[in-house]
Amino acid sequence: MKIIGVIPARYKSSRFPGKPLADIAGKPMIYWVYQQCKKVEDFDAVYVATDDEKIFSTCKELGVEVVMTSDKHLTGTDRIGEVARKIPADLYVNIQGDEPLIEPETIKAAIKPFYENKDLQISNLMTKITDPVDLVNFTVPKVIVNKDNIAVYLSRATAPYPKGKIDYSYYKQVCVYGFTPEALNFYCEYGEKYGKARVEAIEDIEILRFIENGYRVQYVEVDSQTIAVDTQNDLKRVNEFVKNNNITI
């Protein structure tokens, strides 16, 4: 099975423009993510997928494999879909470009189910919520699964609501995804024809397009508490963590 890791990276961000090039201990954040992905033995190749010349040229200078994609994509998954049309593979793994400290073992957890289930088309990760603030934080998608860890729904709200029982563990999404070419093709063709799916557009969570249309999304629980960089304050936290723990690449 040929497996490719893809890191979508765009320069324009409403909350943090130029985020992929943000400095972490002397190197741009996208380089940190790329180096973590390169530690995953399952990958035959790893690419950054961008629509920006600055990111493209920076990657080239640092020896990072990079693919230029359209600037018309509405989502990162659309960008992965374009890569899939250019570079054949059996499985594409989407790793977010704002997770500079993502653990290789966490990435591998999204790949493992495809070895065990040849019919699987989509995987995603989740981790138990330990910070109560995350429960009410709308930027944190909450994951609801059945007994087999197949997705039922994702929501930015605190869900499910504990009316019947309170002994429930809540989970949040970890943005590492595994997609077969068929799943990506569906996602892109649906978007080209209809735009975002109904609930996907309301919640603004990409994976809901699959769930709304009957796809089984396999969730895998991981113990991952890395710092996603959404703001300048997050970037400061990452730099402090790297410095305090003497982390180098």
Side-chain angles (χ1 to χ4, degrees):
M1 183 163 59
K2 182 179 180 181
I3 306 174
I4 290 177
V6 188
I7 309 164
R10 65 189 184 97
Y11 192 89
K12 296 176 182 178
S13 170
S14 57
R15 284 181 292 182
F16 195 157
K19 183 167 61 172
L21 301 182
D23 183 87
I24 299 175
K27 295 288 185 182
M29 178 161 58
I30 196 68
Y31 184 76
W32 282 78
V33 180
Y34 181 80
Q35 291 302 320
Q36 292 300 94
C37 292
K38 291 290 285 183
K39 297 174 184 177
V40 178
E41 302 91 346
D42 304 73
F43 286 148
D44 292 275
V46 178
Y47 298 92
V48 170
T50 188
D51 60 356
D52 183 79
E53 288 291 348
K54 294 189 185 78
I55 295 174
F56 185 86
S57 60
T58 298
C59 287
K60 285 291 187 181
E61 290 168 8
L62 293 171
V64 171
E65 293 286 344
V66 59
V67 178
M68 182 62 80
T69 56
S70 170
D71 62 358
K72 305 300 182 185
H73 294 311
L74 298 178
T75 70
T77 306
D78 287 307
R79 202 171 304 285
I80 305 297
E82 182 179 343
V83 173
R85 289 171 177 174
K86 293 178 176 179
I87 305 172
D90 301 299
L91 180 64
Y92 300 86
V93 181
N94 179 343
I95 307 97
Q96 298 299 289
D98 59 4
E99 290 272 6
L101 302 177
I102 187 78
E103 306 96 334
E105 289 301 317
T106 297
I107 298 171
K108 290 170 72 172
I111 299 171
K112 185 179 178 182
F114 290 91
Y115 293 126
E116 301 168 348
N117 181 359
K118 300 302 181 183
D119 296 323
L120 183 64
Q121 291 186 291
I122 308 150
S123 72
N124 194 192
L125 305 181
M126 63 182 184
T127 192
K128 189 174 292 187
I129 292 177
T130 58
D131 184 349
V133 174
D134 284 344
L135 273 179
V136 295
N137 187 345
F138 77 91
T139 69
V140 177
K142 270 65 74 174
V143 180
I144 303 168
V145 295
N146 66 14
K147 63 180 179 60
D148 298 316
N149 282 347
I150 301 298
V152 174
Y153 192 68
L154 281 81
S155 180
R156 295 184 181 277
T158 303
Y161 184 82
K163 180 180 183 295
K165 56 188 298 188
I166 60 173
D167 57 333
Y168 180 82
S169 295
Y170 288 84
Y171 292 86
K172 62 182 178 180
Q173 184 185 38
V174 177
C175 293
V176 179
Y177 313 86
F179 299 113
T180 63
E182 293 79 12
L184 285 172
N185 188 57
F186 157 77
Y187 186 93
C188 294
E189 287 189 349
Y190 186 100
E192 290 165 3
K193 188 173 183 179
Y194 303 109
K196 292 187 178 183
R198 185 179 181 186
V199 182
E200 174 199 5
I202 296 169
E203 291 272 14
D204 194 23
I205 299 174
E206 295 168 40
I207 211 76
L208 286 173
R209 186 178 306 179
F210 294 106
I211 298 170
E212 282 188 68
N213 286 280
Y215 280 79
R216 289 168 62 88
V217 180
Q218 179 69 62
Y219 272 84
V220 181
E221 183 180 353
V222 295
D223 182 12
S224 179
Q225 301 298 331
T226 60
I227 306 169
V229 178
D230 290 318
T231 65
Q232 288 284 352
N233 188 54
D234 294 332
L235 179 65
K236 181 180 178 181
R237 289 171 60 206
V238 169
N239 270 294
E240 289 174 350
F241 184 88
V242 166
K243 180 179 179 180
N244 294 339
N245 291 274
N246 297 313
I247 300 174
T248 59
I249 53 172

